[in-house]
Amino acid sequence: MKKRLGILIALASVFLAGCPENTTVPEDEAWSQIYAAIDYKYRECGNQPNYILIVPREPSQYGVELCALTILRQECPFNDYPIFCVEMYDIDLPGIGP
């Protein structure tokens, strides 16, 4: 019985270690990541959206990374920000997110 309990605890700890944490990113780091992606895409495409993307205070790490990566993966011309950037604002898109 003790052996079985030990195995269950070990399996639970492995499972929980693999679950994503709901962590946030400091505002300045989030701005840096997003605007590095925007700058890269601007240099690649020669254009960018005519409006600023406001980064919220303490956004989720998942939202920031998803936004930055989808900006980088967009095809030219770079006229709009990807819909996935709304994840930074704690707006859950159906079927997307942790």
Side-chain angles (χ1 to χ4, degrees):
M1 185 64 141
K2 286 184 181 181
K3 185 176 183 179
R4 188 179 261 179
L5 181 60
I7 292 172
L8 287 174
I9 291 172
L11 287 174
S13 66
V14 168
F15 175 76
L16 292 175
C19 292
E21 292 182 30
N22 190 11
T23 58
T24 59
V25 176
E27 188 176 353
D28 59 337
E29 184 179 324
W31 277 94
S32 178
Q33 287 183 38
I34 297 299
Y35 279 90
I38 291 169
D39 184 57
Y40 177 86
K41 202 62 180 178
Y42 170 74
R43 286 185 277 120
E44 180 184 347
C45 298
N47 69 311
Q48 67 184 43
N50 291 328
Y51 57 97
I52 190 169
L53 178 63
I54 303 294
V55 177
R57 286 189 167 155
E58 303 285 325
S60 72
Q61 180 178 1
Y62 175 79
V64 171
E65 290 174 359
L66 180 64
C67 182
L69 288 173
T70 54
I71 287 171
L72 294 173
R73 294 185 52 93
Q74 270 189 210
E75 293 184 15
C76 295
F78 178 37
N79 295 324
D80 289 305
Y81 301 109
I83 187 70
F84 298 111
C85 289
V86 301
E87 284 282 336
M88 288 191 303
Y89 303 97
D90 288 330
I91 299 172
D92 291 325
L93 297 173
I96 305 297

